[in-house]
């Protein structure tokens, strides 16, 4: 976590019910919003099944990388909840009952914890830290920069926020990133490729996107620039002038609305 570059963030969402369409994921947009509020960005998302081998290999890959990762789902006590075991295998650690986790269960359910299978809820890879769960007090866990929490949004979302503010407050800067966009009426992607290539070459530190839209016979493209506020403030007027030079009208876009695109 040292150096000038801000670490990236990733999200793993685990569950057969998501891939079959029985449930719709809500973690992706929520985590993206939590990060944006703090001047941080989500780099990637993976949706995977409950297959143990796939979970283990995914975690081996991500543990070997530099990113901070949130994992949602699969940390319950039923046979299809395999994330705890897979995380231990991927990290080369043994599973053990976490003492603080056992204490949390005893406070929640009484001592001794009954039924005994409830103790599986705090059988984590050795050496992890706990993530408090404000809903039912059954914790998640942090393994290095990987953070594991339930699939229930009511539990996972406050746990995500807690991790960000307790572990990564030093990375936060709400003013680090801004985004501005314009809609160019009557333009197709092919019309603006040369000017986009110029802007990308002139401002390599910015992220540029082009979203086409077609309603009936009306074409338009939405052009957006994302990055440091000073860079966006310098590049956007140049982009607008280049659009005007091509003979197209443009208007500012309020970001956050959905856009039809290919």
């Amino acid at each position: 976590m040292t150096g000038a570059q801000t670490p990236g963030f990733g999200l793993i969402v685990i569950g057969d019910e998501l891939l079959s369409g029985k449930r719709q994921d809500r973690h992706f947009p929520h985590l993206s919003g939590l990060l944006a509020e703090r001047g941080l960005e989500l780099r990637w998302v993976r949706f995977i099944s409950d297959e143990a081998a796939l979970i283990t290999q995914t975690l081996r890959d991500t543990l070997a990388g530099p990113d901070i990762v949130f994992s949602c789902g699969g940390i319950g006590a039923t046979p299809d909840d395999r994330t705890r075991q897979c995380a231990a295998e991927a990290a080369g650690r043994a599973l053990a009952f976490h003492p603080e986790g056992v204490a949390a269960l005893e406070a929640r359910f009484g001592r001794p914890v009954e039924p005994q299978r409830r103790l599986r809820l705090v059988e984590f890879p050795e050496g992890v830290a706990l993530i408090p769960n404000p809903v039912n007090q059954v914790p998640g866990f942090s393994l290095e920069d990987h953070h594991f929490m339930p699939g229930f949004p009511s539990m996972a979302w406050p746990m995500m926020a807690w991790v960000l503010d307790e572990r990564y407050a030093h990375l936060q800067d709400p003013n680090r990133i801004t985004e501005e966009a314009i809609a160019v009426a009557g333009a197709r992607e092919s019309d603006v490729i040369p000017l986009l290539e110029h802007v990308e070459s002139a401002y390599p530190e910015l992220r540029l996107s082009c979203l086409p839209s077609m309603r009936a016979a009306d074409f338009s493209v939405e052009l957006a620039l994302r990055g440091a506020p000073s860079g966006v403030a310098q590049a956007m007027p140049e982009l607008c002038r280049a659009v005007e030079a091509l003979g197209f009208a443009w208007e500012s876009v309020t970001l956050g609305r959905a856009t039809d695109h290919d």
Side-chain angles (χ1 to χ4, degrees), residues 174-180 206 225-233 255:
N175 298 316
R176 176 185 292 117
I177 299 170
T178 191
E179 184 172 7
E180 294 183 13
L206 299 181
L225 293 172
R226 181 175 178 83
S230 59
V232 172
L255 295 173

Side-chain angles (χ1 to χ4, degrees), residues 13-32:
V13 186
I14 300 169
D16 290 342
E17 67 278 5
L18 294 167
L19 299 174
S20 69
K22 292 180 181 178
R23 296 276 180 89
Q24 298 296 314
D25 170 71
R26 292 189 287 158
H27 296 304
F28 169 28
H30 187 80
L31 178 57
S32 182

Side-chain angles (χ1 to χ4, degrees), residues 33-77:
L34 287 177
L35 292 169
E37 291 169 0
R38 294 160 172 80
L40 303 169
E41 292 188 282
L42 192 61
R43 291 187 62 208
W44 53 264
V45 180
R46 298 188 190 184
F47 295 94
I48 61 175
S49 74
D50 292 312
E51 180 188 345
L54 177 60
I55 298 171
T56 301
Q57 187 57 55
T58 299
L59 292 174
R60 280 200 185 109
D61 292 344
T62 58
L63 282 164
D67 291 331
I68 298 162
V69 178
F70 290 86
S71 174
C72 297
I75 65 169

Side-chain angles (χ1 to χ4, degrees), residues 52-141:
L54 177 60
I55 298 171
T56 301
Q57 187 57 55
T58 299
L59 292 174
R60 280 200 185 109
D61 292 344
T62 58
L63 282 164
D67 291 331
I68 298 162
V69 178
F70 290 86
S71 174
C72 297
I75 65 169
T78 58
D80 61 332
D81 290 316
R82 305 183 177 102
T83 304
R84 295 174 291 105
Q85 302 93 315
C86 294
E89 183 177 350
R93 302 188 187 188
L95 278 174
F97 295 116
H98 196 291
E100 294 177 36
V102 173
L105 292 189
E106 290 175 346
R108 175 74 170 85
F109 299 113
R111 182 177 183 182
V113 177
E114 295 290 350
Q116 283 285 308
R117 60 180 175 271
R118 277 184 175 151
L119 287 173
R120 297 175 190 167
L121 292 168
V122 292
E123 190 178 29
F124 298 146
E126 288 184 332
V128 302
L130 298 186
I131 303 172
N133 181 339
V135 176
N136 67 359
Q137 288 70 58
V138 178
F141 65 96

Side-chain angles (χ1 to χ4, degrees), residues 153-169:
S154 62
M155 299 180 188
W157 294 358
M159 294 167 80
M160 288 175 178
W162 184 90
V163 168
L164 287 171
D165 294 337
E166 290 294 320
R167 291 283 303 270
Y168 305 109

